[in-house]
């Protein structure tokens, strides 16, 4: 587990390359046998990608420049303790759905479920050491991952560091860029520019 936590960025990059390669060189059986279902899956994927990107930008607004300085418990962080990972999960599954492949969508979801609980627990230990009783009270009041809308609270004003926020925004919209890349790969595949080496459902 420590290996996954320490090298999660590298592992995510490697899995991302594998994911793109599978998209580039595979035929989608669902699109061939049930095009309406495939288009529905794509539409759901677009919705989740948009929700994930907007949610990550919302989270970035609150943590940009403050992540290591104070305990953030307002805005998305009033709904759950890990909203950035929650919206990342939605966006990642959305990208999987945009492939119009049930296999790839479930694969993305499974990879996230396997990798991130350990990351979240590790970060909780760090936050407990840093913020002590304040974080214990926060843990007792706010769910770890699934948002609870009844807890929503936000300040009337909030100061944001533009330089840090701008960087976080670029990190937040990678779902949108990846979904666009998948559409390009699909067009190249349909034109015959990319060979279909195998088929997936």
């Amino acid at each position: 587990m420590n290996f996954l936590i320490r090298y999660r960025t590298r592992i995510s990059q490697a899995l991302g390359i594998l994911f793109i390669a599978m998209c580039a060189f595979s035929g989608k059986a669902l699109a061939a046998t049930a095009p309406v279902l495939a288009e529905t899956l794509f539409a759901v994927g677009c919705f989740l990608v948009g929700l994930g990107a907007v949610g990550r930008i919302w989270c970035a607004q609150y943590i940009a420049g403050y992540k290591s300085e104070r305990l953030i418990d307002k805005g998305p962080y009033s709904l759950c303790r890990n909203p950035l990972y929650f919206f990342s999960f939605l966006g990642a599954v959305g990208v999987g759905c945009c492939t119009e492949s049930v296999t790839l969508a479930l694969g993305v979801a499974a990879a996230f479920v396997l990798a991130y609980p350990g990351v979240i627990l590790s970060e909780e230990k760090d936050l407990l050491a840093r913020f002590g009783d304040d974080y214990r009270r926060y843990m007792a009041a706010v769910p770890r991952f699934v948002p609870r809308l009844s807890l929503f609270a936000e300040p009337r004003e909030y100061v944001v560091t533009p330089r840090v926020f701008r960087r976080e925004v670029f990190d937040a919209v990678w779902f949108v860029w990846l979904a666009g890349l998948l559409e390009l790969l699909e067009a190249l595949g349909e034109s015959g520019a990319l060979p279909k080496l195998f088929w997936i459902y």
Side-chain angles (χ1 to χ4, degrees), residues 61-174:
Q61 175 188 356
Y62 280 83
I63 63 173
Y66 301 112
K67 186 160 53 175
S68 60
E69 295 180 2
R70 66 175 73 161
L71 177 60
I72 309 299
D73 60 358
K74 295 294 187 289
Y77 291 86
S78 67
L79 302 175
C80 69
R81 302 199 303 272
N82 294 279
L84 191 62
Y85 290 141
F86 174 78
F87 286 115
S88 295
F89 175 75
L90 295 184
V93 172
V95 169
C97 291
C98 283
T99 65
E100 300 181 10
S101 164
V102 175
T103 301
L104 290 176
L106 291 176
V108 170
F112 197 99
V113 169
L114 288 172
Y116 275 88
V119 173
I120 290 172
L121 290 174
S122 176
E123 291 184 356
E124 284 183 354
K125 290 180 181 178
D126 180 63
L127 291 166
L128 276 169
R130 189 179 303 171
F131 299 112
D133 289 340
D134 287 340
Y135 192 73
R136 288 186 181 88
R137 285 189 288 270
Y138 180 56
M139 291 177 71
V142 179
R144 172 178 285 147
F145 189 75
V146 179
R148 188 181 302 160
L149 298 180
S150 61
L151 296 176
F152 179 64
E154 65 180 357
R156 183 176 178 180
E157 296 180 347
Y158 197 82
V159 178
V160 175
T161 306
R163 179 180 56 82
V164 180
F165 179 64
R166 183 172 62 250
R167 185 178 68 241
E168 296 287 345
V169 168
F170 277 104
D171 288 342
V173 297
W174 69 268

Side-chain angles (χ1 to χ4, degrees), residues 49-50 53 95 172-181:
V49 164
V95 169
V173 297
W174 69 268
F175 301 120
V176 179
W177 295 334
L178 187 51
L181 175 61

Side-chain angles (χ1 to χ4, degrees), residues 1-11 118-119 122:
M1 186 59 69
N2 288 335
F3 176 84
L4 287 176
I5 294 170
R6 178 176 296 180
Y7 296 104
R8 68 179 184 272
T9 300
R10 297 290 187 187
I11 292 171
V119 173
S122 176

